[in-house]
Amino acid sequence: MKRRKFIKKTSLLSIGLGITNDAFSNIHKEAINLNKDALPVVIATWDVKLATKVAFATLINGGTVLDAIENGCKIEEANEKGQSVGKGGLPDRNGNVTLDACIMNSKGDCGSVIFLKNIKHAISLARKVMEDTPHVMLSGVGAEEFGYSMGFKKENLLTEASKKAWEKWKKTSKYNSIINIENHDTIGMLAIDSDGNISGGCTTSGLAYKMHGRVGDSPIIGSGLYVDNEIGGAVATGLGEEVVKTVGSFLIVELMRQGHNPQQACEMAIKRIVNKPNSNYKNFQVGYIALNKNGDTGCYSIQKGFSMTKYQSYKNVNITSDSYLIS
Ligand code: SD4
């Protein structure tokens, strides 16, 4: 069809459907009508009040929402006591600490590092992948070499405490997918600034005593993390294999796009896992947190024991999540 004819036909069609340019611009205006009183907001998986505090302070001090995410996640990566993220993370069954992380900005760009050794701040390296390479993901030795070329420091990530725990584990070497839900401190973080820009990040050392080379959901865009600046964002924690199988974070954002609030969307995504044929959900944990463009938030998990930390209106609180299983 010739261009002129096409334009004429489509504008006639719009009139026929009662869709005018005004109607289109109203939809647009509604979409950008921000709930300024609620913003900014920072949320994170588990009880990580220092991380949310640092992220919120970054925003208040004029940093970007992406800086807030990076600074917040770095707190947990540097915390050697946290045994499922960054330095001090529990190793794989061969004794290697391997990290996974990803980050996503409000423009829909993303970067991730997978199976990374010897560099503590995986979230910062994921950001470098996003900003300074033509790629989205770098893994293993390639990610590590890129890190050194960008000035990242090489360090041993296996602490004495994690080494001892691994040596104890080796005596029985029993691995199954049952997760110790008390031992989850993978950090997933989402933030929205006062202009409504949303970013997110996720960083982990993955499952303790995993097979060498195993990668979970945390560096996989759409599974461990997803952000769409028009709608909101979501982040996952728990047994990554189950999150990947249902592309959990993308699912939550799409459910919010369809009109569900963050809480409903998290619950629906957990039910998607629970209701799978032959799901053995009683034996593992998955938890989600989500945030929408209004600054509304939600969280939900399979097992009891999950929580979300939220910094909003100058209050930093840890909120116990509702769960599918209540005992
Ligand atoms: C993974 N989702 O590698 C991560 C693990 C996790 O707290 O969340 N641990 O599967």
Side-chain angles (χ1 to χ4, degrees):
M1 198 186 306
K2 287 235 165 66
R3 198 179 126 80
R4 278 232 316 269
K5 251 191 182 168
F6 175 79
I7 291 171
K8 211 170 159 193
K9 271 212 164 175
T10 47
S11 54
L12 281 175
L13 184 71
S14 303
I15 292 163
L17 291 172
I19 302 170
T20 62
N21 280 343
D22 267 4
F24 278 122
S25 63
N26 279 343
I27 290 167
H28 185 64
K29 263 184 216 147
E30 226 174 66
I32 57 165
N33 197 0
L34 291 174
N35 182 11
K36 283 269 186 187
D37 292 341
L39 310 183
V41 185
V42 177
I43 56 171
T45 52
W46 308 104
D47 192 356
V48 288
K49 286 211 198 80
L50 183 58
T52 47
K53 187 178 171 184
V54 166
F56 197 85
T58 303
L59 286 177
I60 297 305
N61 292 324
T64 66
V65 68
L66 195 68
D67 295 335
I69 293 294
E70 183 183 355
N71 291 347
C73 289
K74 279 173 79 176
I75 295 293
E76 289 304 310
E77 288 178 338
N79 174 9
E80 294 183 18
K81 289 202 181 112
Q83 287 191 306
S84 60
V85 55
K87 187 156 183 165
L90 289 167
D92 65 17
R93 57 188 62 180
N94 304 357
N96 307 286
V97 180
T98 65
L99 308 182
D100 294 333
C102 72
I103 198 160
M104 202 162 177
N105 70 14
S106 54
K107 296 189 197 97
D109 300 322
C110 47
S112 85
V113 288
I114 294 174
F115 188 58
L116 173 72
K117 292 179 183 167
N118 303 318
I119 293 178
K120 175 169 67 190
H121 288 307
I123 195 75
S124 304
L125 192 54
R127 181 173 178 175
K128 290 279 180 218
V129 172
M130 173 174 84
E131 291 178 344
D132 294 339
T133 80
H135 306 305
V136 164
M137 296 179 166
L138 285 182
S139 69
V141 176
E144 197 179 334
E145 282 170 354
F146 171 64
Y148 301 141
S149 79
M150 300 303 287
F152 284 71
K153 193 174 117 198
K154 179 171 185 164
E155 60 187 300
N156 178 14
L157 303 180
L158 187 63
T159 55
E160 271 313 305
S162 290
K163 194 173 167 202
K164 263 196 194 142
W166 168 59
E167 275 161 358
K168 192 169 164 210
W169 175 82
K170 271 202 298 187
K171 289 188 185 139
T172 55
S173 294
K174 263 202 195 137
Y175 182 84
N176 52 34
S177 64
I178 299 172
I179 288 182
N180 174 5
I181 59 168
E182 305 310 326
N183 195 18
H184 269 195
D185 42 1
T186 289
I187 176 165
M189 184 178 269
L190 299 163
I192 179 166
D193 67 17
S194 2
D195 296 322
N197 296 311
I198 305 169
S199 292
C202 187
T203 178
T204 187
S205 55
L207 298 183
Y209 320 127
K210 61 195 175 184
M211 287 174 71
H212 186 57
R214 181 266 186 190
V215 173
D217 59 315
S218 304
I220 309 298
I221 299 294
S223 292
L225 167 74
Y226 196 70
V227 170
D228 181 325
N229 205 50
E230 301 230 320
I231 306 296
V235 153
T237 182
L239 182 61
E241 280 75 1
E242 297 301 322
V243 176
V244 168
K245 286 178 202 168
T246 49
V247 200
S249 295
F250 184 71
L251 173 62
I252 290 171
V253 172
E254 291 309 299
L255 288 166
M256 292 195 291
R257 192 190 307 279
Q258 288 164 23
H260 300 285
N261 67 37
Q263 184 60 35
Q264 291 164 337
C266 288
E267 291 179 19
M268 290 164 91
I270 288 293
K271 283 177 193 150
R272 186 71 67 92
I273 296 173
V274 165
N275 292 331
K276 279 174 66 183
N278 307 323
S279 175
N280 67 341
Y281 65 90
K282 289 191 177 143
N283 295 329
F284 60 81
Q285 172 71 307
V286 170
Y288 289 118
I289 63 169
L291 168 83
N292 71 11
K293 195 79 176 167
N294 286 329
D296 303 325
T297 62
C299 58
Y300 200 63
S301 59
I302 298 176
Q303 317 277 344
K304 273 172 75 177
F306 180 50
S307 69
M308 166 174 83
T309 307
K310 173 166 165 172
Y311 208 127
Q312 185 177 31
S313 307
Y314 293 90
K315 277 194 223 102
N316 196 13
V317 286
N318 184 248
I319 299 162
T320 302
S321 171
D322 283 343
S323 54
Y324 184 81
L325 294 171
I326 45 176
S327 58

